[in-house]
Amino acid sequence: MAWFTLSALNQATHYLIVGNTQVGGLNTLTKGANQSMNTAIRLNQVVTLMQSSKLTDVDATLAQAVDEYKNSAASLEAFKVMPHTQVAQQTVDETVQNWQNVLQQGLQPMMSSLQEKKFAEYRRVFRDDFHPLNGFVE
């Protein structure tokens, strides 16, 4: 009976550790995804502010977008190195690649376009690159 109890406790402990590890990965993923979407929202706010000539708010809003982008990138780096217990490596690799694509092929070019005041390029990247990377279909 004692062996069974110890074995059951050991197994329960194992599942708790696995569950906590998976929750940690999910929390990091969720935080990074939220920061990516916040970046896109802030960048769209910058465009609105520029078009309405509220230039005093542009720099602060763009700085917030840059901070949120950095937060998402930091969450990605954390996600890459954390254990992903009982999650298929292909799933982890695809998640990392998709996340990197959103940052590097979507958000970064959008930020650069706004910083250089290239509105047509911003709209093109937002529509043609960012939306498909996020799974949006129009």
Side-chain angles (χ1 to χ4, degrees):
M1 181 70 165
W3 178 83
F4 175 76
T5 302
L6 287 176
S7 176
L9 286 173
N10 187 37
Q11 190 173 25
T13 301
H14 169 74
Y15 287 128
L16 286 172
I17 291 169
V18 167
N20 285 337
T21 301
Q22 289 175 341
V23 166
L26 181 60
N27 286 342
T28 301
L29 182 63
T30 301
K31 178 184 175 190
N34 286 340
Q35 291 296 298
S36 290
M37 287 309 298
N38 288 345
T39 302
I41 290 166
R42 295 275 187 246
L43 293 175
N44 282 324
Q45 288 173 340
V46 168
V47 171
T48 301
L49 290 168
M50 287 178 162
Q51 290 173 340
S52 63
S53 299
K54 295 184 179 176
L55 302 179
T56 56
D57 297 332
V58 167
D59 290 338
T61 305
L62 190 53
Q64 288 174 325
V66 170
D67 286 344
E68 288 163 341
Y69 176 89
K70 288 178 183 177
N71 291 339
S72 183
S75 291
L76 172 60
E77 292 307 312
F79 185 82
K80 285 180 184 179
V81 299
M82 64 185 356
H84 300 286
T85 308
Q86 296 185 351
V87 177
Q89 188 60 46
Q90 180 179 354
T91 301
V92 173
D93 293 344
E94 288 173 359
T95 300
V96 166
Q97 187 60 55
N98 290 338
W99 194 343
Q100 285 177 322
N101 290 345
V102 167
L103 292 174
Q104 295 169 353
Q105 297 172 23
L107 295 174
Q108 182 59 50
M110 288 164 55
M111 270 193 296
S112 296
S113 296
L114 285 182
Q115 289 167 333
E116 297 168 13
K117 297 188 181 6
K118 296 180 179 178
F119 301 114
E121 179 64 10
Y122 173 84
R123 284 189 295 278
R124 187 204 61 74
V125 173
F126 181 75
R127 181 189 63 241
D128 297 343
D129 298 335
F130 180 72
H131 273 259
L133 288 169
N134 274 299
F136 295 123
V137 179
E138 291 185 33

